[in-house]
Amino acid sequence: MTDASNAAPLDNIYRTIQSDLDAVEISLKDLGGSSNPLIAEINRYLFEKSGKRIRPALLMLSAKLCGYEGRDHVFWSTLVEIIHTASLIHDDIVDNSTLRRGQDTVHSRWGANITVLLGDFLYIQSIAMALKTKSYDLINILADVTAQMIEGELIEYSMSGNPDLTEDLYLEIIDKKTAQLFADSCQIGGRLAGASPADVGRLKDFGLHLGLAFQIVDDLLDYTGDATTLGKPVLSDFREGRITLPLIHSFRQTAGKAREDLICGYRDRAVDPNAAAKIMSAVAKTASLDYAFDRASSYVAKAKEILAAFPATEHRESLDRIADLVLRRKK
Ligand code: FPP
Ligand code: MG
């Protein structure tokens, strides 16, 4: 089941795959039955509250769009969600985040040492489960995408606090840390269905564009969102020094002395109590939130255009509606 505040739009879109998503939920909750009591306890904490399950949904709908009638999509969707969860608990350590989905992050509760190990355990467990299938092409995709996610996260961290971050490099970061897993979730769905290379390529491209839009909106919500709805504090990217599209655009649109002041203001964010307000006003002055939203909208438009090459089925309709929801989402 999805959380209540997401339930109305998502439950409706997920209608045709709800029983399969429920099966994923059961497999995830089974991880809470680990024989190690600490692993069991943390897994129960992690999987008791469900997220949007967007990656499993993309995998399932992509498979069904290509005529898949088997059951393996539940297993591969579970793996994709485990990898995503492992990445988030690592990301929360890197980002010093204390809240996710409205609850304490794992490292705030159990400490970073245990959490890193638990994240590693979850990840390697998903690969060990995948290896049992001997589907080496799919396992390869999972290993490659994880390497890309780590690389994206590394580039992002190394560029923290650096106002020279360009839009191109930002796009490379979000491509690697977020969009590739969207692309590969769709790709795995297509491959499970035995789709043609052209259709698998289209699905991957659809997921890629959707993933780019998803992360741009995620970064926008850090400026515009409501902390209670989001289940995490706003302006946390800014406080941690992560420079995302609105700020990149604002820096780029500001010249001379105003740019120097803006960069100084940004650098003083830890000591100046008015830093957040100043940055918000700079971002408003340069219409940078609108710019970022327009960029996300273009990626969604492209994703929908790619999807339109598939036959008009209820599964295509669901994917199309997920694309719309990525732009409208509040959490
Ligand atoms: C969230 O970004 C983070 C990601 C999309 C990817 C993180 C990837 C890693 C930490 C690599 C390690 C992966 C594994 C499986 C070992 P964000 O901080 O912008 O989003 P947030 O606001 O939700 O935290
Ligand atoms: Mg984060």
Side-chain angles (χ1 to χ4, degrees):
M1 300 302 132
T2 48
D3 287 349
S5 44
N6 251 346
L10 272 183
D11 277 2
N12 196 10
I13 296 173
Y14 289 173
R15 209 180 58 255
T16 59
I17 49 166
Q18 193 57 59
S19 61
D20 295 341
L21 284 171
D22 292 346
V24 169
E25 228 44 54
I26 290 170
S27 304
L28 293 173
K29 289 197 170 58
D30 278 353
L31 297 169
S34 165
S35 58
N36 178 292
L38 184 55
I39 293 174
E41 185 188 359
I42 302 178
N43 279 346
R44 274 199 298 277
Y45 182 77
L46 265 174
F47 294 112
E48 115 196 336
K49 212 162 177 212
S50 160
K52 294 179 273 295
R53 306 300 190 228
I54 189 160
R55 295 155 191 82
L58 290 176
L59 191 154
M60 290 178 177
L61 290 166
S62 298
K64 287 178 182 277
L65 179 62
C66 297
Y68 186 64
E69 289 184 351
R71 291 296 303 156
D72 291 350
H73 60 307
V74 170
F75 174 78
W76 291 97
S77 296
T78 305
L79 297 192
V80 161
E81 192 63 20
I82 296 174
I83 293 174
H84 168 60
T85 307
S87 81
L88 289 185
I89 69 174
H90 279 157
D91 174 71
D92 285 335
I93 299 175
V94 175
D95 290 350
N96 287 310
S97 305
T98 52
L99 272 184
R100 176 168 301 275
R101 295 174 186 160
Q103 63 181 21
D104 292 342
T105 49
V106 178
H107 73 94
S108 333
R109 198 169 263 232
W110 281 274
N113 312 40
I114 284 177
T115 305
V116 167
L117 294 172
L118 194 272
D120 293 345
F121 184 84
L122 271 181
Y123 177 65
I124 204 62
Q125 192 180 22
S126 71
I127 295 297
M129 286 160 75
L131 278 165
K132 292 207 171 79
T133 67
K134 297 191 168 52
S135 300
Y136 297 112
D137 54 341
L138 301 187
I139 300 164
N140 226 354
I141 291 172
L142 294 182
D144 278 353
V145 74
T146 314
Q148 294 208 57
M149 289 163 75
I150 295 171
E151 200 193 333
E153 190 86 349
L154 272 171
I155 305 172
E156 176 172 60
Y157 188 75
S158 66
M159 290 306 290
S160 265
N162 187 339
D164 295 330
L165 176 65
T166 60
E167 182 165 339
D168 279 351
L169 189 52
Y170 166 79
L171 289 174
E172 185 184 333
I173 291 168
I174 66 170
D175 171 287
K176 290 188 153 93
K177 77 168 188 175
T178 305
Q180 290 297 332
L181 187 59
F182 275 64
D184 285 335
S185 299
C186 297
Q187 175 183 193
I188 291 172
R191 282 179 181 250
L192 280 179
S196 67
D199 278 350
V200 170
R202 269 192 273 275
L203 285 170
K204 201 175 165 196
D205 213 21
F206 164 77
L208 182 84
H209 285 85
L210 194 62
L212 291 170
F214 183 93
Q215 188 61 48
I216 294 174
V217 170
D218 199 77
D219 294 340
L220 259 172
L221 287 171
D222 194 58
Y223 285 89
T224 61
D226 168 72
T228 312
T229 313
L230 281 173
K232 57 188 179 187
V234 290
L235 284 178
S236 45
D237 290 339
F238 164 71
R239 290 201 183 86
E240 281 301 313
R242 305 291 180 269
I243 298 175
T244 59
L245 194 49
L247 201 48
I248 292 171
H249 179 260
S250 198
F251 283 148
R252 196 169 70 210
Q253 293 302 108
T254 316
K257 169 88 173 60
R259 185 169 195 274
E260 277 165 37
D261 289 348
L262 179 57
I263 291 175
C264 266
Y266 171 73
R267 289 206 165 114
D268 287 347
R269 66 192 174 281
V271 287
D272 176 2
N274 298 319
K278 284 184 194 159
I279 290 291
M280 287 304 281
S281 116
V283 159
K285 215 176 190 168
T286 47
S288 300
L289 299 176
D290 293 340
Y291 174 79
F293 188 76
D294 284 351
R295 296 292 287 131
S297 306
S298 318
Y299 284 120
V300 164
K302 182 71 192 161
K304 286 163 70 94
E305 186 191 314
I306 297 163
L307 192 64
F310 288 94
T313 62
E314 58 179 353
H315 303 301
R316 189 184 85 174
E317 174 67 16
S318 297
L319 286 168
D320 194 77
R321 289 176 63 200
I322 290 177
D324 287 330
L325 193 64
V326 158
L327 284 183
R328 279 188 289 116
R329 73 194 180 98
K330 302 278 178 253
K331 62 183 279 189

